[in-house]
Amino acid sequence: MTFLTLSLALVFVLIPIVLSKAFNLELEKDTVIATVRSIIQLLIVGYILQFVFHSENIIYTILMIALMIGAATQNARKKGASIKGITWKLIVTFIFVEIITQGILLGFHITPAEPQYIIPISGMMIGNSMVLSILFLNRFTAEIDAHQNEIELILSLGGTPKQAIHSQLIASIKASTIPTIESQKTIGLVQLPGMMSGQIIAGADPVQAVQFQLLILFLLLTSVVVTSVLLGFLSYPTLFNKQMQLLKVEA
Amino acid sequence: MKESYKAAIQFEHVNYSDGSTSILKNITGFFPKGKITTLVGPSGAGKTTLFRLCNRLISPSSGEIQIVGEKIDQYNPIELRQNVGLALQSATMIRGTVMKNLALPLTLKGSKLSEEDATELMQDVGLSEAFLTRNVKDLSGGQRQKVSIARTLVNKPKILLLDEITSSLDRVSQQDIEELIVRINEKYGTTIIWITHNLTQAVTIGEYSWVMIDGEVIESGESSFLNNPKNDRVKQFIKGDLV
Ligand SMILES: Nc1ncnc2c1ncn2[C@@H]1O[C@H](COP(=O)(O)OP(=O)(O)OP(=O)(O)O)[C@@H](O)[C@H]1O
Ligand SMILES: [Mg+2]
C-alpha cells in the first residue's frame, strides 16, 4: 500500500464527520483528534521500529520494552491509587510477565531472538497485562469495599490478613481472567483475531498465521493468570497495617 | 466500692477520631474482670467503635487501652482477638452453611469443629442441630444473631464483647440468650461486656454499667445507678428510652 492509497482511506474519516454534523452528534472534534493522533503515533512507532529492527544493538529492543512497561504502568496505576506502592507492583508484574513469556519463547526457540519478533509480541503481552491489571484492580478494590464486614469478621475471630482477604482475592482473580479465557473458546468462529487478519491481508499463509495466532493466545492465557495472581499477592499485604487492621480502600 | 473490682479492660484518656471527626472523647474507665458489664447509650454514641478498639480492629488516636493489665499493643493481634471475642452488631456471616460459619474460628487455626461440639453450641443458643446444614442466606435476623454468638464462643474467649446481639430476638429467645450469657459468666468466669438498648436487661443482667452519650462516658458504676441516675443527660436518655 502506498501513502497515496492510504490517504484515500481518509474518506472513512469523513463519513463519521458528515454523519455527526447531520445528526448533531458533536463527534467531529474527537474524530479529528483521534485521526490525527493515530496517524502521528503510529507513524512514529513505525519509524522507530524500522530503526530498531535494522540496528544490531539489543539495547534498543530493551529500551522499547522498558518504554512499553512505563506507559502500561502509567495507565494502570490510577486504578490502584488506594494501594500503597502500586507503581512498582505494576512494574514488577509487567517485567515478570515479559520475562516469563519471552523466556519460554526464546528458551525453547519457538520464535527467533530478533527484535521483529520480540517487540510486537512483548507489546501484545504487556498491553494485555495492562488491561488485565486495570480489570483486576477495579474488581479487587470493589470487592473489598463491598465485603469489608466479612474481612473484619475474620480478623475479629483471629484470622490473618491473608485469611481475611482470601475470598475477595480469589473472586477478583477469577472475575478478571474469565473474560479472556471465555473469549478464547469462541475465537475464530465470529471474529478473526486482529493479528491473524493483518498477517493474512499482508499475504501470509493462513495456516502459518493461525499458528502464530495460537501461540499468542497461549501466551495471553499465561499473561492474564500470572498478572492477576502476582498483582493480587503483591497488593493485598498493603491493605493491612502491622496491627493486622484493614485500612480504608476507596473503590 | 470501685476498689474491689479488678479491670479486664482499662481505658486511659482514649480518643478516637476518623479524619477530623472526633468519635470517642477522652474515655477513661474500666470493665471489671469476671463480671457482666452492660453498655448503654443512644445510637451513634460510639459503643460499637469502643468494641472495635478492644478487639483491636482499630487503634486509638491517643490514650491507652490495657487488657488485664497489659498494654493492648503488647499482645499478638491474633491471640488478642481470640481472647477478646467480638460478636458483631451486624451478625455478619461468611457465605455457606451454618456449620461452616460455626467452624470458622477453628478453620482459621487449621483445625476442625466436631459434630458433637457444633450440636452442643447450637443447643446453647437455642437452635436445633438441623440448622447446621442450612445456608446462612436462609436464616432470619434472630437466627443469625444466635449463630453469631455461638461462633464467637468457639474461641472460648476470656473476654466477650456482645454488640446488640438480642436486638432481633423475640422475648423468649432473648431470655434464652440472657441465661446463656449468665451461665457462661458463672461457669468460666468470662468477663462479658454487653451493648444493649434494653435498659431492663442492662440493670438485671449487668452487675456493672456504662452510659455513653456522644462519644463520652457520662456515668458508670454498679448497674443499679441506672434506676437512679445523677447526671441530667443520663436521666434524659433513660426517660426517652423507657417511653
Ligand atoms: N468507620 C467509620 N468511619 C467514620 N465514622 C464512623 C465509622 N464508624 C462509625 N462512625 C461514626 O462514629 C459514631 C459512633 O458510631 P458507633 O457505631 O460506634 O455508634 P453506636 O453507639 O454503636 O451506635 P448504634 O447504637 O446505632 O449501634 C457515629 O457517628 C458514626 O457515624
Ligand atoms: Mg453500634
Side-chain angles (χ1 to χ4, degrees):
Chain A
M1 202 172 355
T2 63
F3 273 106
L4 182 69
T5 50
L6 183 62
S7 37
L8 281 177
L10 282 175
V11 172
F12 291 115
V13 179
L14 286 178
I15 296 174
I17 292 179
V18 170
L19 283 179
S20 171
K21 270 253 187 295
F23 295 105
N24 232 343
L25 303 176
E26 297 182 350
L27 295 173
E28 300 96 305
K29 199 175 148 208
D30 282 327
T31 310
V32 173
I33 291 177
T35 310
V36 173
R37 276 192 63 165
S38 60
I39 293 174
I40 295 175
Q41 287 169 2
L42 286 180
L43 279 180
I44 291 176
V45 169
Y47 283 115
I48 292 178
L49 285 180
Q50 200 174 41
F51 169 74
V52 175
F53 289 176
H54 286 139
S55 97
E56 298 284 293
N57 204 335
I58 180 95
I59 206 84
Y60 293 112
T61 306
I62 294 174
L63 224 62
M64 275 297 284
I65 293 171
L67 216 68
M68 290 174 191
I69 290 179
T73 305
Q74 186 59 30
N75 248 323
R77 58 187 277 207
K78 288 164 224 145
K79 288 296 164 199
S82 54
I83 295 171
K84 239 188 288 161
I86 188 64
T87 306
W88 75 261
K89 288 181 174 125
L90 285 165
I91 293 176
V92 167
T93 304
F94 296 146
I95 290 179
F96 193 77
V97 166
E98 172 68 13
I99 288 175
I100 222 174
T101 52
Q102 290 296 335
I104 294 171
L105 287 176
L106 301 178
F108 289 107
H109 300 290
I110 300 172
T111 55
E114 282 165 25
Q116 187 175 340
Y117 289 90
I118 297 176
I119 292 176
I121 294 177
S122 299
M124 281 186 265
M125 291 310 123
I126 294 168
N128 199 258
S129 188
M130 173 190 84
V131 171
L132 211 86
S133 304
I134 294 174
L135 279 178
F136 172 79
L137 290 173
N138 264 339
R139 185 63 185 231
F140 195 38
T141 43
E143 283 277 328
I144 294 165
D145 198 50
H147 297 279
Q148 198 184 333
N149 281 343
E150 279 131 271
I151 297 170
E152 290 202 321
L153 164 74
I154 294 175
L155 289 177
S156 79
L157 290 170
T160 62
K162 189 173 173 184
Q163 289 172 324
I165 204 136
H166 187 258
S167 313
Q168 282 67 42
L169 188 58
I170 298 303
S172 315
I173 290 175
K174 272 193 185 160
S176 56
T177 51
I178 281 173
T180 308
I181 295 171
E182 281 301 310
S183 73
Q184 295 207 359
K185 289 187 189 161
T186 57
I187 203 150
L189 296 179
V190 184
Q191 198 186 9
L192 291 183
M195 188 191 87
M196 196 173 108
S197 313
Q199 272 192 305
I200 293 173
I201 291 169
D205 169 32
V207 174
Q208 211 195 355
V210 166
Q211 284 177 345
F212 258 102
Q213 188 64 51
L214 281 178
L215 173 68
I216 298 299
L217 292 182
F218 299 155
L219 286 178
L220 286 182
L221 277 183
T222 301
S223 91
V224 292
V225 178
V226 169
T227 299
S228 49
V229 169
L230 190 59
L231 198 56
F233 280 90
L234 285 176
S235 308
Y236 89 82
T238 53
L239 300 170
F240 298 87
N241 63 15
K242 277 216 179 70
Q243 292 115 65
M244 300 191 185
Q245 296 166 345
L246 179 67
L247 302 172
K248 275 194 180 173
V249 171
E250 305 294 334
Chain B
M1 189 70 77
K2 269 191 182 179
E3 283 66 34
S4 65
Y5 292 117
K6 268 201 193 139
I9 305 184
Q10 172 91 43
F11 302 85
E12 296 282 353
H13 306 291
V14 169
N15 287 284
Y16 178 78
S17 33
D18 179 60
S20 56
T21 348
S22 173
I23 296 174
L24 294 178
K25 297 159 197 156
N26 201 19
I27 305 279
T28 296
F30 69 100
F31 296 135
K33 194 169 171 210
K35 309 282 180 210
I36 300 177
T37 302
T38 45
L39 177 50
V40 296
S43 203
K47 306 180 296 293
T48 298
T49 308
L50 194 78
F51 271 15
R52 287 165 59 78
L53 281 170
C54 297
N55 184 265
R56 216 174 157 196
L57 284 173
I58 52 176
S59 294
S61 311
S62 65
E64 195 180 291
I65 301 173
Q66 289 182 359
I67 308 285
V68 286
E70 285 257 21
K71 281 191 198 167
I72 194 165
D73 43 20
Q74 299 285 311
Y75 294 90
N76 165 308
I78 294 179
E79 274 169 36
L80 178 93
R81 287 169 184 161
Q82 287 166 350
N83 281 310
V84 184
L86 173 61
L88 297 156
Q89 187 166 18
S90 49
T92 305
M93 297 283 136
I94 57 163
R95 252 178 280 171
T97 60
V98 169
M99 182 63 188
K100 188 175 169 197
N101 272 276
L102 218 48
L104 181 61
L106 293 179
T107 314
L108 294 173
K109 288 188 229 179
S111 58
K112 286 206 169 77
L113 180 69
S114 70
E115 291 281 339
E116 301 87 74
D117 287 350
T119 309
E120 200 183 318
L121 279 160
M122 292 295 274
Q123 275 167 0
D124 280 345
V125 294
L127 286 174
S128 93
E129 62 169 305
F131 276 98
L132 283 171
T133 52
R134 285 268 284 271
N135 191 307
V136 287
K137 284 204 295 254
D138 305 327
L139 297 183
S140 73
Q143 288 162 345
R144 286 164 82 103
Q145 284 187 328
K146 289 179 176 177
V147 175
S148 168
I149 301 162
R151 184 178 58 193
T152 307
L153 294 177
V154 171
N155 271 333
K156 301 197 163 57
K158 298 195 175 62
I159 301 173
L160 192 52
L161 310 171
L162 306 171
D163 197 347
E164 294 198 41
I165 48 159
T166 55
S167 59
S168 322
L169 297 184
D170 59 81
R171 189 175 285 276
V172 177
S173 296
Q174 273 196 32
Q175 271 169 9
D176 286 348
I177 297 299
E178 286 172 9
E179 279 165 23
L180 171 71
I181 296 310
V182 172
R183 208 163 64 230
I184 290 169
N185 168 257
E186 283 170 356
K187 193 166 162 194
Y188 303 106
T190 310
T191 304
I192 294 170
I193 301 101
W194 191 343
I195 295 175
T196 172
H197 272 136
N198 181 333
L199 279 170
T200 322
Q201 206 173 47
V203 180
T204 53
I205 308 298
E207 181 169 332
Y208 203 81
S209 284
W210 278 35
V211 181
M212 282 181 73
I213 299 175
D214 235 353
E216 291 176 89
V217 187
I218 306 292
E219 222 172 317
S220 64
E222 286 187 5
S223 62
S224 52
F225 84 82
L226 288 171
N227 294 324
N228 207 348
K230 296 186 206 79
N231 185 289
D232 282 346
R233 285 162 84 192
V234 178
K235 272 185 206 159
Q236 260 176 0
F237 163 67
I238 286 173
K239 236 168 44 195
D241 208 86
L242 287 176
V243 173

